[in-house]
Amino acid sequence: MTLELSLNQQPAHTRQGSSIGQPLTRRDGFLKVTGAARYAADNHPPGMLYAVLAVSSIARGRVVSLDIEAAKAHSGVVEVMTPLNRPALAVDPDAKDHPFMFRLDLLQNDGVRYPNQSIAVVIAETLEAATEGAALLSPRYETLPARVGLDGGKSFVPRGVGVGNPAVQEKGDVEAGLESARTRIEAAYETPAQYHNAMEPHAIVAAWDGDQLSIDTPSQGLAMAQGRIAGLFGIAPRNVHIRSPFLGGGFGSKGMISGPQVLGILAARLVGRPVKLVLRREQMYGPVGHRAPTRQTLRMGMDGEGRLTALSHHARTTSSTFDDFFEPAADASHTLYASPAIATSHDAVRLDTGTPLFMRAPGEATGSIALESAIDEAAHACGMDPLEFRLRNYAEVEPMTGKPFSSKALRECYEQAAEVFGWASRPLQPRRMRDADGFLTGWGMGTATFPALMFQAEARAVLRADGSGLMETGAQDMGQGAWTAFAQIAADGLGLDIDQVDFRAGSSDLPNAGIAGGSGHTATAGMAIHNAGAAVIARLADLATGNEASPLFGAGNEGVLARGGRLYRRDDESRGESYSEILARAGLAEIEGHGKGAPDPASQETYAKHAHGAVFAEVKVDPDLGQIRVTRLVGAFAAGRVINPRLVRSQYYGGMIWGVSFALHEEAVTDRRSGRIQNANLAEYHVPVNADVPSVEALLVHEDDPHVNALGIKGVGEIGITGTAGAVANAVWHATGVRPRRFPIRIEDLLG
Ligand code: MOS
């Protein structure tokens, strides 16, 4: 029996459900509310120095001079790192071997390619001295005009969008479909640049010991970060030890290691002491990614029954001048509506900004706000209720591929959320509802969807002679409750109570937990944990069933169940023995098993995999002032097996609040003259607070999807944003009769 199980179809040796499905509170919650949880910047190794970045105040040009002497003369300043003395790297930070190797600004030259690009690092005995030293550098620049905005350069069709999808795709004949339509709409929408704005800024504490590098830094994917750092410094990945137990939010910005984090490592190498480097809030607007703005044009045709005859979705987006990431906004139209003809296309311009990156449902969030707005316009153009229109048009197989699809669950999401919301009493026409205070009231809806992705992960399971278990995988917990969900899966995988299982995570020295991104972490690392549990139980079963002294002798590996720290005969549950007894007889202190989580290629080939949902929103608009309030959100989501309903609901709440944020709040405003972001702070970059979302309800719709993985897990992290933003926009239309064309929706857009 091999201990390495591959893929995800290993049958469970345990009865599911003792821990999985329980609404446990976060296992790390106590640490967090008491302040005992240690975030990267909380680490202060002996002899540690503080590094502060000096960043460019221009968008484009080059640094002509820095007053290094003034900075070095400042009391407490130890060193100033610039392109002149920055330690060598093994590879060019501008090299790019594959699409996920992003170019980094590591003081390789005096060029400036965007505002807030690092131009020097000041290292000092205290944070204050380093900050003051950085201010003394007084950079002088040669400045070129900044290229800004969706028309800021010559447009081109990118080679790929998102994770390398084709920029242009077509099924059927869209022009013919539009031609034959009874009703047509064409509409354009603009979405803004957004920044991740995790509560915890990117931070690193780096310490070198010869060629061993220890770092504390928040990372959504430790093994990927480890590989990138090892490559840059020309050392073996095993020499890079990353601790990342907790993240104060990532949202995609901590998926890849960023330039400032690597500068912290370089600073530590330069001074030969541990160094801490933490980004200031405004420094997060540049080198650590963002969501690029879009301008999207949708065209739809409908026949006499309100069925789509054609759907065309074009998105213009932006990227940096020196690297490639293209928000795959139009791809949102691939997966939801059953038009016989669908065409999606993208083009882009290059601007003097930091490179955009994955951010909270990249593509789906941006694209679905336009798609759901347009679907609403199409429904009303046909004189149909938008729910009826969606029920008529949602796809029963994935539209672009024709693969089977879990659309039955989508219908249930529509129906359950509509029922709870009270949608049936909605007047079809806008401006028909007012509340007691005279506010215009509107109801809107949106469909939510997000792919059920899996990546690659590994886990190691141990059973010990005292009957306890251990599960290890190098996952961080970025606030979503990953550790709790993983411990629940581990407990069931090992056939133990959750309190009998130690769960070790948060370090790159542990098995690779893959990446907490693409809403695929629970499915991927969860399957690795499940398979590691199955592997160690199989090993234990071998020990018992092959031994005449065991009551399980001759039952065969498949004939055994694990539960409550005991193995039983599947055909006679009165016959069994404890893990401890089996290990004691074998004279073993512990046994181990390894498992992997990965998508199953055969199943990928056959089935389309998506989570689905429906979100309904109520808004109230002041008829004189145009001020918009969201007063109620109801979402229903089907995302396969729910590992922990408390955590899952919380993910939906978070996603829905992002949706409100997208519709009404978030926008990075660029100064067209300087190319700088004017609101690079959390005071003026608006995000919702509790008063902005008074009532949020998330319904969990039961769904068994046996095709995603053996546990039936889909992702829940990002789907909530996708339906909600459109639902809010459509509710604003229903309240006011004004169709929002740009996001966030502004008061002045509603005042005639
Ligand atoms: Mo996310 S944008 O998959 O961290």
Side-chain angles (χ1 to χ4, degrees), residues 34-53:
T34 58
R38 189 172 276 259
Y39 289 79
D42 296 332
N43 291 286
H44 290 161
M48 186 190 82
L49 298 174
Y50 295 80
V52 165
L53 291 183

Side-chain angles (χ1 to χ4, degrees), residues 34 225 229 241 414 462 510:
T34 58
I229 292 166
H241 309 276
Y414 283 138
V462 174
L510 297 171

Side-chain angles (χ1 to χ4, degrees), residues 100 102 194-200 202 218-221 224-225 247-259 261 284 286-291 325 327 355-363 450 455 476 478 480 515-520 651 658 717-718 721:
F100 297 124
F102 287 95
Q194 299 178 336
Y195 282 74
H196 301 79
N197 270 310
M199 273 243 274
E200 177 204 27
H202 294 64
S219 169
Q220 289 175 244
M224 240 165 65
L247 272 68
F251 314 131
S253 73
K254 292 168 183 164
M256 257 50 76
I257 207 81
S258 67
Q261 288 163 294
M284 295 171 73
V288 295
H290 67 283
R291 192 202 297 283
F325 181 88
E327 178 87 2
T355 305
L357 195 62
F358 304 99
M359 173 169 162
R360 308 184 211 140
F450 199 81
F455 307 103
Q476 69 308 97
M478 59 177 168
Q480 79 280 52
I515 185 156
S519 300
Q651 288 291 288
W658 285 345
E718 290 161 282
I721 191 173

Side-chain angles (χ1 to χ4, degrees), residues 211-519:
D211 65 352
Q212 298 287 317
L213 172 62
S214 296
I215 57 188
D216 293 282
T217 199
S219 169
Q220 289 175 244
L222 278 68
M224 240 165 65
Q226 186 187 42
R228 180 68 162 130
I229 292 166
L232 283 165
F233 287 91
I235 57 179
R238 66 171 182 282
N239 292 2
V240 180
H241 309 276
I242 306 177
R243 279 193 300 178
S244 182
F246 305 116
L247 272 68
F251 314 131
S253 73
K254 292 168 183 164
M256 257 50 76
I257 207 81
S258 67
Q261 288 163 294
V262 179
L263 287 171
I265 302 170
L266 282 162
R269 173 144 269 190
L270 180 67
V271 295
R273 285 168 66 177
V275 163
K276 169 154 89 172
L277 188 153
V278 182
L279 288 193
R280 294 162 58 112
R281 176 63 52 183
E282 71 267 26
Q283 293 175 341
M284 295 171 73
Y285 289 72
V288 295
H290 67 283
R291 192 202 297 283
T294 71
R295 180 189 301 136
Q296 302 178 56
T297 310
L298 281 105
R299 294 183 298 153
M300 291 179 185
M302 286 73 64
D303 67 15
E305 264 96 55
R307 280 199 178 76
L308 286 166
T309 60
L311 163 56
S312 151
H313 190 162
H314 174 74
R316 158 72 57 88
T317 186
T318 69
S319 196
S320 70
T321 56
F322 57 93
D323 209 346
D324 293 329
F325 181 88
F326 300 96
E327 178 87 2
D331 290 359
S333 286
H334 291 170
T335 54
L336 266 181
Y337 298 109
S339 175
I342 299 174
T344 59
S345 58
H346 299 81
D347 67 4
V349 298
R350 294 198 179 278
L351 305 178
D352 299 307
T353 68
T355 305
L357 195 62
F358 304 99
M359 173 169 162
R360 308 184 211 140
E364 284 82 6
T366 335
S368 82
I369 196 168
L371 174 62
E372 291 301 308
S373 295
I375 282 283
D376 207 73
E377 293 198 54
H380 286 281
C382 295
M384 285 175 70
D385 172 82
L387 174 59
E388 286 306 313
F389 187 80
R390 285 179 176 81
L391 287 169
R392 186 151 305 171
N393 281 297
Y394 77 86
E396 309 227 355
V397 296
E398 191 180 52
M400 284 308 257
T401 62
K403 291 180 184 176
F405 198 56
S406 53
S407 54
K408 183 167 160 286
L410 173 57
R411 173 171 277 275
E412 286 177 29
C413 294
Y414 283 138
E415 287 169 354
Q416 289 189 26
E419 174 73 28
V420 169
F421 186 83
W423 182 260
S425 65
R426 175 185 180 272
L428 188 59
Q429 298 305 321
R431 294 184 76 92
R432 294 296 153 87
M433 298 196 293
R434 285 199 188 232
D435 73 0
D437 299 319
F439 287 99
L440 293 164
T441 303
W443 290 355
M445 68 169 295
T447 308
T449 184
F450 199 81
L453 302 174
M454 286 182 74
F455 307 103
Q456 307 279 336
E458 296 163 15
R460 172 177 177 263
V462 174
L463 286 175
R464 305 178 183 120
D466 66 1
S468 69
L470 166 69
M471 188 67 73
E472 293 181 334
T473 189
Q476 69 308 97
D477 194 310
M478 59 177 168
Q480 79 280 52
W483 284 9
T484 310
F486 291 150
Q488 289 177 265
I489 297 169
D492 280 11
L494 292 171
L496 290 171
D497 189 84
I498 194 164
D499 294 325
Q500 296 171 285
V501 180
D502 295 327
F503 179 64
R504 290 185 58 203
S507 160
S508 66
D509 295 341
L510 297 171
N512 173 11
I515 185 156
S519 300

Side-chain angles (χ1 to χ4, degrees), residues 113-180:
R113 345 197 237 200
Y114 56 92
N116 286 336
Q117 181 196 307
S118 307
I119 56 172
V121 181
V122 178
I123 306 149
E125 297 288 348
T126 64
L127 177 62
E128 291 75 11
T131 305
E132 289 156 7
L136 290 168
L137 286 170
S138 309
R140 290 178 44 231
Y141 302 98
E142 213 170 77
T143 308
L144 291 166
R147 290 159 289 192
V148 296
L150 281 157
D151 299 303
K154 192 167 135 35
S155 71
F156 63 97
V157 177
R159 232 171 313 179
V161 296
V163 292
N165 307 336
V168 177
Q169 293 193 58
E170 184 157 9
K171 177 198 87 161
D173 187 337
V174 163
E175 297 309 324
L178 287 168
E179 191 63 34
S180 70

